Amino acid sequence: MMAAAKKVLVIGGGFSGMSAAIMLARGGIETDLVEIDAGWRSYGAGISLHGATLRVFAELGILGAFKATGAATDGLVVRMPHNDQVIVTIPTPPMPGTGLPGNAAIMRPALAAILADATRAAGVSVKLGCSFETITQDELGVDVTFTDGTRARYDAVIGADGLYSKTRATLMPEAPQPEYVGQAVWRAEMATPEGIETINMWLGKGLKVGINPVSAGRSYMFVTEDRPTNDWVEESELLPQMIALLDQFPSPTLTAVKEGLSEESKLIYRPLEKMLLPQPWHAGRVMLIGDAVHATTPHLGAGACIGMEDGLVIAEQLLRADTVAEAFTAHESRRWDRCSMVVHNSARLSEIEITGGDQKEHNDIMSRSMMALGEPV
């Protein structure tokens, strides 16, 4: 059986786009990838990963590189905000086929570098500092002009250019816009505090603090804050505002962490937004994946997971189907339930935290979602 496409363009060099490009190229499809950032940089501190993401790493062939660079730990520890007393320890079962515990984390730039190396090694043609200028389709293919003045023709195009996707805006101008959920997250990198061996969380009023190891001796901290308005925070205000939030936690561990924060702690502030595009996720021969169609808040630690899964699935379908239309239909059928579950359940967890809702419902949603993510893709 012939693949549905011989030549494919991937727009966007983030986690989702690189995952798609790697698998397409390995399957024998000529693959181009364009990334608007000339430095191919990944911004941010650490990223917590559901165990299902490790299964994706195994399929991409980067699990060994992750083991050497990131961290996989067992369990989630919830502590009292004032004295570090353990309230509950929640197991995180290992994902079959990975040989690793079910909780993982890594610095975002480190994961981006691993994927970039794998992308080039797979034979993908990468063009940086470049995006598309125009996309014109007919029944047989897609003509693309690029911002560097070049042009090329493809059998299919994959738009993986993120939450504020230029591809989506161009082809689907009436699509829903990202929606602020009423929470923001602050992140920082640090030496792993004494006694922290896996992800630990402290729950306060309108605040949640977590520390997750990302490599040998290093961790990242996140502070999730209920924030009614979507505010801009100046870079000069990141450190004092983060310290002020941590002042609300007398925990000895968090007090020591707070005292060690500085401008060198790679501080990040990000309002949390969500977006779920109704299907179809494609227009003709152009398919959108990742945050371009299902951006989620980080409450389940699964945003990167489902985006990278998109990359694997769309590549598999293009390699398996007879036509691009068949491949796109099959991809959307496989991805809707799983991706919409993550977006909706993450948003509900956010609502419960903001409104002080039922903790039992929160726990049930977490449990059901984690089990669902462990199911085959």
Side-chain angles (χ1 to χ4, degrees):
M1 182 183 297
M2 295 290 291
K6 293 181 179 179
K7 187 175 182 180
V8 173
L9 170 67
V10 177
I11 300 170
F15 298 161
S16 303
M18 286 191 283
S19 298
I22 290 167
M23 300 307 287
L24 288 166
R26 286 183 183 165
I29 294 177
E30 182 181 353
T31 306
D32 293 347
L33 183 147
V34 292
E35 164 56 42
I36 190 65
D37 181 8
W40 210 357
R41 294 161 292 185
S42 178
Y43 297 96
I47 179 172
S48 295
L49 303 169
H50 184 274
T53 319
L54 302 179
R55 180 172 58 195
V56 175
F57 291 172
E59 292 192 47
L60 288 168
I62 64 169
L63 188 57
F66 168 79
K67 290 180 181 179
T69 309
T73 58
D74 186 20
L76 163 64
V77 179
V78 182
R79 297 180 181 270
M80 295 288 286
H82 58 285
N83 63 4
D84 285 339
Q85 179 181 342
V86 175
I87 301 172
V88 63
T89 299
I90 302 170
T92 50
M95 185 61 53
T98 65
L100 292 175
N103 173 60
I106 190 171
M107 294 299 291
R108 283 181 178 270
L111 178 55
I114 290 170
L115 283 165
D117 288 344
T119 299
R120 292 193 186 277
V124 177
S125 175
V126 176
K127 188 182 292 188
L128 302 178
C130 182
S131 184
F132 73 91
E133 191 72 49
T134 63
I135 295 176
T136 306
Q137 304 188 54
D138 57 41
E139 292 184 358
L140 299 178
V142 188
D143 292 306
V144 182
T145 62
F146 296 98
T147 53
D148 64 356
T150 61
R151 64 179 61 236
R153 184 170 173 83
Y154 300 92
D155 299 308
V157 173
I158 297 172
D161 47 350
L163 179 61
Y164 287 93
S165 166
K166 178 183 176 182
T167 314
R168 186 185 69 233
T170 300
L171 298 178
M172 305 175 184
E174 303 303 317
Q177 295 300 304
E179 176 187 352
Y180 177 62
V181 302
Q183 287 185 312
V185 65
W186 306 72
R187 295 186 174 97
E189 184 193 6
M190 68 195 70
T192 301
E194 184 177 353
I196 301 297
E197 297 179 351
T198 186
I199 183 170
N200 281 243
M201 293 176 60
W202 293 257
L203 306 181
K205 186 175 182 180
L207 288 173
K208 175 175 65 178
V209 179
I211 297 177
N212 203 0
V214 291
S215 62
R218 304 297 295 177
S219 289
Y220 90 99
M221 175 174 64
F222 59 87
V223 181
T224 304
E225 174 196 14
D226 296 351
R227 199 177 183 101
T229 54
N230 187 353
D231 305 313
W232 172 261
V233 178
E234 296 289 345
E235 188 172 352
S236 62
E237 285 296 309
L238 293 178
L239 182 59
Q241 289 200 33
M242 196 167 190
I243 288 174
L245 293 174
L246 291 173
D247 281 341
Q248 301 180 49
F249 292 83
S251 146
T253 298
L254 296 183
T255 298
V257 166
K258 177 183 65 177
E259 293 171 350
L261 289 178
S262 72
E263 302 290 351
E264 306 303 314
S265 300
K266 299 181 180 177
L267 305 178
I268 299 288
Y269 168 82
R270 184 169 71 89
L272 297 184
E273 297 174 287
K274 66 172 183 175
M275 196 274 296
L276 180 63
L277 184 69
Q279 289 189 352
W281 289 343
H282 71 281
R285 288 175 172 263
V286 183
M287 170 66 76
L288 300 176
I289 67 171
D291 283 353
V293 284
H294 49 66
T296 181
T297 64
H299 292 78
L300 293 173
C305 178
I306 59 174
M308 295 174 74
E309 286 176 351
D310 279 356
L312 269 60
V313 172
I314 191 59
E316 180 182 331
Q317 297 301 154
L318 283 169
L319 287 162
R320 173 188 295 174
D322 292 322
T323 68
V324 170
E326 290 175 5
F328 284 3
T329 298
H331 172 84
E332 292 178 353
S333 177
R334 288 178 62 181
R335 299 305 295 155
W336 175 259
D337 287 347
R338 186 176 179 85
C339 296
S340 60
M341 179 274 293
V342 169
V343 174
H344 289 314
N345 287 5
S346 297
R348 180 56 187 153
L349 292 173
S350 175
E351 290 173 356
I352 293 171
E353 292 175 6
I354 292 171
T355 61
D358 185 356
Q359 187 61 43
K360 181 179 183 302
E361 182 189 357
H362 192 285
N363 295 343
D364 288 345
I365 291 172
M366 286 286 293
S367 177
R368 292 197 312 272
S369 302
M370 293 303 176
M371 290 183 64
L373 284 165
E375 294 296 319
V377 177

